[in-house]
Amino acid sequence: MNFPKIVRGPESLQSGAWVRSYEFTKFMKNAGPFETNPHLAIAVSGGADSLALCLLALTWVRRRNGKITALIVDHGLRKESSLEAKQVAIWLDERNVHHKILRWLGKKPSTGVQAAAREARMGLMGNWCVRHNIMHLLTGHNMDDQVGTFLIRLLAGSGSDGLAGMPLVNDLILPIGGSVRQVRPLLSVQKGRLVETLKHNSQPWIDDPSNR
């Protein structure tokens, strides 16, 4: 069995490009309002984007006497996926972050695997939020993702609506009933800054080849 490819950055940086807590507070203000003592769900894959989001959200929510639950999806598409989920859980335990591993069970499609995996992840996390009365699900989409989405839609011949890109906030309607607000607070942040944020916090991350 292959083990997760764990990336570790230097503990000290020269660039100082990490995302500050006051910046993240502005991002969250733009995505609000949020309830008093908020309980946020965070999609955490173990990659640099989602782990950086988790660390930033943890500081934000603790200052508001709230809490977060990190949702880790074991998609089962690669042999090492369960090991990756367990590794992420270990890192979250070290930072006293409550977490839940959700597993995508059943037969996987032979074509359109990545699209099916994205839909399954959002379905698993959204349903979990509805069942636990959590209003907000934060995901680590960033500026690089936004640019990539625009280019893919442009090449596909999308109209003006499609070229608008990903919204900061949108409502996910779930098959089980109910909805959850998907919040993407990092859309204005380059991925490189999220990597620097992890380095600044001495937090390793997992390099998932499927993300490329």
Side-chain angles (χ1 to χ4, degrees):
M1 179 177 291
N2 296 326
F3 287 90
K5 182 180 179 182
I6 296 175
V7 182
R8 302 179 187 274
E11 294 185 1
S12 59
L13 301 174
Q14 300 297 322
S15 62
W18 66 87
V19 180
R20 272 65 170 180
S21 59
Y22 73 85
E23 294 179 88
F24 189 74
T25 296
K26 292 180 180 179
F27 303 152
M28 291 295 281
K29 183 177 180 180
N30 292 335
F34 296 92
E35 67 272 27
T36 304
N37 311 126
H39 185 179
L40 307 177
I42 314 289
V44 181
S45 67
D49 308 348
S50 62
L51 274 173
L53 171 64
C54 187
L55 296 186
L56 293 164
L58 184 61
T59 299
W60 183 88
V61 80
R62 285 177 173 172
R63 289 176 177 174
R64 289 156 181 80
N65 296 315
K67 59 181 179 179
I68 66 173
T69 297
L71 300 180
I72 310 163
V73 175
D74 178 1
H75 50 64
L77 294 175
R78 290 179 285 103
K79 293 181 179 179
E80 60 268 30
S81 65
S82 61
L83 289 176
E84 291 175 354
K86 292 175 182 177
Q87 178 59 71
V88 176
I90 290 171
W91 286 333
L92 295 173
D93 279 333
E94 291 173 350
R95 295 182 181 271
N96 296 315
V97 176
H98 181 253
H99 55 82
K100 177 70 175 178
I101 296 178
L102 307 175
R103 291 180 171 84
W104 183 21
L105 303 175
K107 186 177 180 180
K108 308 300 188 295
S110 57
T111 60
V113 175
Q114 292 302 324
R118 284 192 295 270
E119 183 177 351
R121 282 196 297 268
M122 295 309 298
L124 286 167
M125 293 187 294
N127 289 342
W128 190 93
C129 290
V130 169
R131 292 191 180 103
H132 293 83
N133 298 312
I134 295 179
M135 299 171 58
H136 311 282
L137 171 62
L138 274 61
T139 58
H141 298 100
N142 54 71
M143 184 185 293
D144 294 41
D145 297 319
Q146 187 74 292
V147 171
T149 298
F150 174 84
L151 291 176
I152 289 171
R153 292 177 177 177
L154 180 64
L155 291 173
S158 294
S160 57
D161 289 342
L163 295 178
M166 294 180 287
L168 174 61
V169 178
N170 68 282
D171 290 326
L172 294 176
I173 308 300
L174 283 307
I176 64 170
S179 65
V180 61
R181 293 178 79 236
Q182 181 184 5
V183 181
R184 302 179 178 94
L186 302 177
L187 283 179
S188 62
V189 181
Q190 293 177 324
K191 179 167 182 165
R193 295 196 66 202
L194 300 178
V195 170
E196 296 299 329
T197 300
L198 293 183
K199 292 179 181 178
H200 178 68
N201 287 277
S202 302
Q203 175 61 58
W205 65 94
I206 293 172
D207 178 37
D208 181 351
S210 65
N211 287 335
R212 299 193 295 270

